[in-house]
Amino acid sequence: MIEAIGLVKQYGDHIAVDHLNFTVEKGQILGFLGPNGAGKSTTMNMLTGYISATEGTILVNGYDMLEEPELAKKSIGYLPEQPPVYPDMTVEEYLQFVTELKKVPRKEREAEVDRVIGMTQLEPMRNRLIQHLSKGYRQRVGIAQALVGNPEVIILDEPTVGLDPKQIIEIRDLMKGLAKEHTVLLSSHIMQEISAVCDHIMIISHGKLVLSGTPEELQQKANQGINLEIEALGTKEQVVQVLCSVADGLDIEEIAGEKEGSVAVRIKSTEDSREALFGAFAKAKLPLIKLVRNTKTLEDIFLEATSDTWTLAEDEDEKSGTFADETVVGEQEEKEESTDVSDL
């Protein structure tokens, strides 16, 4: 449904998006992750045709954004980070206005407004002025306008920013429901949100793709090998001797112990040796305080992937190159984020 090929956006000497390649399949919810200034909003503005790419090709539902912009944009429903709503209109008036902008046939407009109001559960707010709505309901109105015209692709930029926990759960449930009939691209820097609703994750940093896969694939890749944290009463020499009696060639890192007279270490191995270690420490009469296996969460993976020392990327080219200054790019993105619905 969406394909980006060699996507580049450059402002003078600063590269906001650096040869980005990805595909969003039909019916997929793709989580688009990256720290502030990574190029997420710039990428989404290019995907929606709001700004042009310096280089590269964007295909939406088979239509080239440069060659067939009207057909490509017709296939997209877009919710920017700030919903493009008019506070002096009621919800119904605003959505009727959007049906006109999106050229919904006149005879179908009333039914279309009813449809998107029903999908976003806005019926109780139909006749209320938008300026009197809570932020959660304003977000629903923003999603409703994205759904007008029943586009194949829905693009959501930070849809839960500033919402309370109850509103976040409601919006997440709504996003899950959208995937039944639409392809969804969701931008966020909140890993918990992405893992809760997305079936595929793409992480960018400094405008470059650094990691892509399902949540399960990313965790499996990041947790290769066994990482154990051990704390035992005794001296460093005694603890190391016990560890070496269980397996040779362990990667041992000493860390601060929680208790006086104890030694704490982290070890890396290819096998889960907790049972053997427990027996060895008992035989040596060194009481164990802690013996746990550490696994990296998706949040850990995100932090590592967006750090300057990231080493898990398969393509060495994705770890090199000249990166844009994050602050300058971030400022440029903020200027571009005030999107009007009439531009889509």
Side-chain angles (χ1 to χ4, degrees):
M1 281 295 186
I2 302 177
E3 186 174 6
I5 306 168
L7 208 55
V8 176
K9 185 61 180 178
Q10 187 167 352
Y11 301 102
D13 295 331
H14 299 289
I15 303 174
V17 178
D18 192 357
H19 295 90
L20 200 58
N21 295 279
F22 65 90
T23 301
V24 188
E25 302 292 347
K26 183 177 181 180
Q28 188 177 70
I29 304 181
L30 174 69
F32 191 29
L33 275 165
N36 290 332
K40 300 190 306 297
S41 293
T42 299
T43 300
M44 299 183 91
N45 283 334
M46 287 190 288
L47 293 177
T48 58
Y50 185 60
I51 61 174
S52 60
T54 305
E55 297 177 23
T57 301
I58 297 170
L59 300 175
V60 181
N61 204 22
Y63 301 113
D64 189 307
M65 184 61 73
L66 182 62
E67 302 294 334
E68 302 171 287
E70 187 170 348
L71 291 173
K73 291 178 182 180
K74 188 177 180 180
S75 302
I76 296 173
Y78 181 37
L79 173 65
E81 186 173 348
Q82 299 297 327
V85 296
Y86 294 95
D88 55 344
M89 288 183 172
T90 67
V91 171
E92 184 172 11
E93 289 170 343
Y94 170 68
L95 293 175
Q96 286 175 341
F97 171 61
V98 174
T99 63
E100 296 175 23
L101 289 178
K102 293 193 174 183
K103 300 179 181 179
V104 176
R106 186 180 298 273
K107 294 181 179 180
E108 300 175 12
R109 289 174 186 171
E110 185 175 345
E112 181 65 5
V113 170
D114 290 340
R115 184 184 73 85
V116 298
I117 283 179
M119 287 187 67
T120 52
Q121 299 179 11
L122 281 168
E123 187 61 44
M125 306 295 161
R126 176 189 285 265
N127 297 312
R128 187 173 296 188
L129 290 175
I130 292 175
Q131 64 184 347
H132 295 153
L133 298 179
S134 67
K135 186 164 185 179
Y137 273 113
R138 289 192 187 195
Q139 289 293 91
R140 287 178 181 271
V141 175
I143 294 174
Q145 66 80 24
L147 293 172
V148 168
N150 200 29
E152 290 84 355
V153 176
I154 304 295
I155 298 179
L156 307 174
D157 192 358
E158 305 282 2
T160 61
V161 168
L163 303 186
D164 64 38
K166 183 175 183 295
Q167 293 169 333
I168 289 174
I169 292 172
E170 292 173 347
I171 296 297
R172 286 178 181 174
D173 289 341
L174 178 56
M175 289 188 289
K176 290 177 184 177
L178 292 177
K180 297 175 182 178
E181 298 182 7
H182 305 271
T183 297
V184 181
L185 176 60
L186 169 64
S187 169
S188 180
H189 59 271
I190 304 172
M191 180 56 79
Q192 295 92 331
E193 178 171 293
I194 295 295
S195 61
V197 301
C198 298
D199 46 37
H200 199 89
I201 295 174
M202 182 173 72
I203 302 176
I204 67 168
S205 182
H206 302 291
K208 298 174 76 71
L209 177 64
V210 293
L211 203 58
S212 178
T214 67
E216 295 77 16
E217 289 171 346
L218 298 189
Q219 284 194 313
Q220 183 178 9
K221 184 175 182 180
N223 287 297
Q224 291 177 347
I226 306 296
N227 296 281
L228 300 178
E229 190 169 320
I230 302 167
E231 184 173 2
L233 294 178
T235 65
K236 178 181 177 181
E237 290 74 16
Q238 289 174 320
V239 170
V240 171
Q241 185 177 4
V242 171
L243 293 174
C244 292
S245 71
V246 174
D248 294 326
L250 292 176
D251 183 0
I252 303 174
E253 175 192 357
E254 186 176 6
I255 58 177
E258 298 177 357
K259 195 172 181 179
E260 187 176 352
S262 71
V263 176
V265 296
R266 291 193 187 97
I267 66 171
K268 294 182 180 179
S269 65
T270 57
E271 297 179 356
D272 189 350
S273 54
R274 283 177 290 180
E275 184 177 346
L277 285 168
F278 185 86
F281 275 97
K283 184 177 180 180
K285 297 183 179 180
L286 298 179
L288 275 173
I289 298 172
K290 180 190 295 185
L291 176 56
V292 296
R293 178 178 177 179
N294 291 330
T295 57
K296 292 179 182 178
T297 65
L298 288 175
E299 189 172 46
D300 296 328
I301 296 168
F302 171 75
L303 291 173
E304 286 190 9
T306 54
S307 72
D308 292 333
T309 58
W310 175 242
T311 59
L312 290 184
E314 293 180 356
D315 187 349
E316 288 295 323
D317 292 336
E318 291 179 356
K319 295 183 287 179
S320 62
T322 302
F323 296 138
D325 180 81
E326 221 170 359
T327 304
V328 175
V329 174
E331 290 174 353
Q332 184 66 46
E333 288 183 5
E334 288 179 5
K335 293 177 183 177
E336 296 178 347
E337 284 177 353
S338 55
T339 310
D340 193 296
V341 69
S342 60
D343 292 315
L344 302 179

